């Protein structure tokens, strides 16, 4: 069974770079990679927070949150 | 030809988690992944700095530096 990897972003330039170079480099034969734009899918901000995401871009793999550089704080996406 | 991905770390807990969950998730059919312990290979700190690495753990893919969470500043490894 594949592991789950969720890449959370908000469309910012830092996010786009991380998506194109890190999220895209994951092994899709071992990981189901889902890309979530939290600016467009605000309903999923809570899920990201519960996974430990503080800022975007972030990658959640097997329930661990990995913040990749810094684009925007999650709090800024709520307004 | 495979792209190059270099994961720089310093053996810290944050580094180990990122290595086991992010670096290990990269697609090795497309990326040559090299793991560099900067505490043990201080000669490579300069190379990491030139790639834009400010702290570890960090992943350099195609000349772009991606800092993954924060374990230690590069400056702290020089002493």
């Amino acid at each position: 069974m594949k592991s789950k990897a969720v890449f959370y972003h908000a469309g910012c330039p830092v996010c786009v770079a991380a998506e194109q170079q890190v999220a895209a480099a994951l092994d899709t034969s071992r990981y189901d990679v889902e890309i979530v734009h939290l600016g467009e899918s605000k309903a999923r901000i809570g899920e990201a927070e519960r996974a430990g995401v503080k800022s975007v871009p972030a990658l959640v793999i097997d329930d661990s949150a990995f913040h990749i550089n810094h684009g925007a704080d999650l709090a800024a996406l709520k307004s």
Side-chain angles (χ1 to χ4, degrees), chain A:
Chain A
M1 195 184 131
K2 288 191 191 182
S3 294
K4 179 92 181 162
V6 185
F7 179 79
Y8 294 100
H9 73 108
C12 55
V14 172
C15 296
V16 172
E19 180 180 347
Q20 293 178 342
Q21 299 195 263
V22 181
L26 298 178
D27 184 350
T28 54
S29 73
R30 292 183 289 134
Y31 292 86
D32 275 322
V33 182
E34 185 186 12
I35 309 290
V36 177
H37 189 316
L38 289 177
E40 295 171 354
S41 304
K42 288 181 186 287
R44 297 190 63 177
I45 291 178
E47 158 202 311
E49 277 183 323
R50 284 190 295 277
V53 174
K54 308 280 190 208
S55 63
V56 287
L59 189 62
V60 174
I61 298 184
D62 294 331
D63 298 323
S64 297
F66 297 96
H67 302 88
I68 303 172
N69 289 341
H70 186 275
D73 287 324
L74 218 58
L77 302 177
K78 292 183 182 176
S79 53

